Amino acid sequence: MSAKPRRAAGVLAAFTAVALAATACGGSDEPAGKDAKNITLTISANSIVGGKNSAGAEWIEKWVIPKFVEAQKAKGVTAKVTFVPSGVDDEQYKTKLALDLRSKGGADVIAVDGIWVGEFVQAGYLKPLSDIAGNQVDSWEGWSQIPETVQGLGSFEDKRYGVPLGTDGRVLYYNKKLFARAGLPADWQPKSWQEILDAGAKLKALPGVTPIQINAGTAMGEATSMQGALPLLVGAGGEIYKDGKWAGATQPVKDMLDFYTKIYGGGLGDPKLQQEAKGRDKSFAEFAAGKIGILGEGDYFWRSVVNPKDGIAKMADRDTTVGYAMIPAKQPGAGIRGQDFVSMSGGGVRVLNPNSKFPAQAWELLAFMSSAEAVKAELAGAARITARTDVNKEVLAADPMLNFVAEKVLPLTAYRPPLAVYPQVSVALQEATAAATAGKSADEAAAAYQKKVEGFVGGPGNVTS
């Protein structure tokens, strides 16, 4: 779920929201405890057979419901589970969820975009999973299969509010044919930002080739933040939001902007491409045509852009020509958590409604939908990165690139702060990269950025400088 490139459009589409009908309407007369023998659950999802996320809707109707009812029956519980489909714009879906939760109604198990979690927590709409469903949450087998970094997608201020669904990761792609011509290794793995710049300098000798493409500016939108600014920021040891404060003109922010000035001021990137309305699509086409040497992107690029079968910029020789490497920290150990390599990820999460009349069973349903068996059933043979390590090992075995992201990148990734003001901060970040790309110094761009952020987040007291 990308911000990701693909994040904007149907992120929510890919997720299901699960609801207990009993929540809003009072439901059955059975005791509302975990020993109830008759329960009525409703699954609601932003998906519909034949429309938005049709496959997800079919999975709920044809797999989840019958299997869950059967499992409950084996325990002596009669579960009536129904599916209420819908297929609306993500923002409309978000607004409806907020209204439902505010009025103490709505779904009992709800799938949301991970970027909404903190905002909903701060509004009082969500509570930690274990506060709602008790000890069974923490003893769930699934946590041991979800890397701690990926659990961060459904966490806020160190508490778990949801179970992550699929996720993704950012890497550096490179063209092995261009690398061979420039005298660079086929198995390239830079260990610092300087090594990226050094490779760019060698690629610069090739006529008609743009050495490096790191998204910059506002035309690229969130792809600038997720593919460029934020991975660089965590690579310099910084976080956009930490300990209740937003990053202003900090040293890591300046380091990140300085890297942009070195690429675009040093003739290693194409500044005009960053300003074009379709600049990102054009960068895809140029990479596929062998005109860009190094490109920062998510696994979406591998799966959906240069995919030789149905990509939007097909590369028949993708598997032999396209290399991929982890994004290095500024220098070894300089990344967040003292890491040598870094990434950024996005994705969806299923949460529990604190107002559920059957919280124990709502959790059972959520855990069931997040089991290895259920996740594999939803994939239906497709190779996609899930939150579960055990499933990834099995379903990604034939795709070395996606396996690389699951095994190497996810354990060191980071997520955006899931707060309401983040999109405004992100735009300010994009504007700062545009300024750096256009020739402003890192200090100037950082100072202007900090001033904007102070305006969004309630003044200098909420900004680290």
Side-chain angles (χ1 to χ4, degrees):
M1 331 262 178
S2 270
K4 277 168 96 163
R6 45 181 183 134
R7 183 191 246 334
V11 148
L12 256 302
F15 317 144
T16 55
V18 179
L20 266 167
T23 304
C25 58
S28 130
D29 293 324
E30 284 290 332
K34 59 183 169 64
D35 301 323
K37 295 297 178 197
N38 282 292
I39 59 174
T40 305
L41 307 175
T42 304
I43 299 173
S44 72
N46 194 16
S47 64
I48 189 163
V49 174
K52 189 166 189 170
N53 187 32
S54 181
E58 283 191 38
W59 172 67
I60 293 167
E61 289 182 350
K62 295 178 180 173
W63 198 92
V64 173
I65 292 175
K67 293 272 188 185
F68 183 75
V69 169
E70 191 185 327
Q72 291 297 307
K73 191 177 179 181
K75 298 195 317 183
V77 175
T78 302
K80 187 186 174 198
V81 187
T82 48
F83 175 51
V84 182
S86 70
V88 294
D89 174 79
D90 292 352
E91 284 302 317
Q92 277 178 275
Y93 179 67
K94 180 185 177 189
T95 302
K96 182 181 185 306
L97 292 182
L99 291 170
D100 286 345
L101 290 165
R102 189 182 303 153
S103 62
K104 311 284 185 205
D108 283 78
V109 183
I110 307 165
V112 299
D113 191 335
I115 193 90
W116 303 344
V117 171
E119 183 181 344
F120 278 20
V121 170
Q122 290 187 331
Y125 300 154
L126 298 178
K127 285 183 181 168
L129 292 172
S130 55
D131 287 9
I132 300 168
N135 296 336
Q136 59 172 339
V137 171
D138 292 333
S139 60
W140 179 51
E141 61 80 29
W143 298 122
S144 65
Q145 294 295 342
I146 302 174
E148 264 189 56
T149 48
V150 178
Q151 290 182 33
L153 180 59
S155 303
F156 182 65
E157 292 176 346
D158 298 324
K159 290 182 179 170
R160 288 181 187 138
Y161 290 87
V163 178
L165 310 181
T167 188
D168 64 358
R170 305 291 175 285
V171 298
L172 292 176
Y173 291 96
Y174 59 96
N175 185 307
K176 292 182 183 178
K177 288 180 179 172
L178 297 179
F179 266 49
R181 284 170 52 201
L184 290 161
D187 59 348
W188 184 63
Q189 176 54 71
K191 293 184 174 64
S192 66
W193 292 359
Q194 188 56 49
E195 288 186 13
I196 299 173
L197 296 171
D198 291 346
K202 288 191 172 180
L203 289 161
K204 195 177 176 185
L206 305 179
V209 171
T210 299
I212 303 170
Q213 169 59 31
I214 302 291
N215 295 346
T218 53
M220 301 265 189
E222 190 61 13
T224 286
S225 302
M226 280 297 273
Q227 267 74 277
L230 292 175
L232 291 169
L233 183 60
V234 294
E239 291 178 71
I240 195 69
Y241 180 81
K242 192 180 181 186
D243 301 330
K245 291 192 175 189
W246 294 89
T250 59
Q251 192 56 49
V253 166
K254 290 178 185 174
D255 288 345
M256 174 267 292
L257 292 169
D258 185 57
F259 188 68
Y260 274 101
T261 65
K262 288 190 167 111
I263 290 173
Y264 293 102
L268 300 178
D270 178 0
K272 284 188 184 145
L273 193 60
Q274 316 315 308
Q275 297 162 17
E276 293 184 23
K278 298 273 185 192
R280 186 147 172 264
D281 290 343
K282 196 170 169 184
S283 75
F284 293 163
E286 288 187 7
F287 185 94
K291 292 179 179 174
I292 286 177
I294 300 166
L295 174 82
E297 265 296 340
D299 59 81
Y300 157 82
F301 181 75
W302 178 265
R303 285 182 297 101
S304 304
V305 178
V306 292
N307 188 319
K309 289 193 193 108
D310 52 11
I312 55 174
K314 293 185 190 69
M315 284 184 79
D317 58 352
R318 178 196 71 175
D319 296 358
T320 52
T321 298
V322 181
Y324 37 87
M326 290 183 286
I327 301 169
K330 184 169 185 266
Q331 60 257 345
I336 54 163
R337 304 181 286 252
Q339 291 174 189
D340 297 337
F341 301 99
V342 296
S343 189
M344 288 296 296
S345 299
V349 180
R350 287 191 189 99
V351 297
L352 287 182
N353 187 328
N355 310 302
S356 172
K357 292 208 172 154
F358 293 111
Q361 293 88 339
W363 166 255
E364 280 182 47
L365 182 53
L366 170 51
F368 176 75
M369 296 176 83
S370 309
S371 66
E373 191 191 3
V375 172
K376 280 189 279 188
E378 187 177 15
L379 288 173
R384 276 209 321 271
I385 297 167
T386 75
R388 294 188 64 112
T389 304
D390 51 358
V391 175
N392 289 338
K393 276 187 176 145
E394 190 177 324
V395 303
L396 303 178
D399 192 314
M401 193 279 152
L402 297 182
N403 200 46
F404 175 82
V405 173
E407 290 197 355
K408 296 277 175 71
V409 176
L410 293 188
L412 47 78
T413 197
Y415 291 89
R416 295 165 295 176
L419 298 167
V421 76
Y422 167 76
Q424 290 168 276
V425 176
S426 179
V427 170
L429 206 55
Q430 294 159 31
E431 289 168 348
T433 66
T437 302
K440 285 255 165 68
S441 71
D443 284 358
E444 278 179 287
Y449 155 78
Q450 175 163 331
K451 204 167 180 188
K452 283 177 198 160
V453 172
E454 287 173 357
F456 303 141
V457 303
N462 295 319
V463 177
T464 308
S465 55

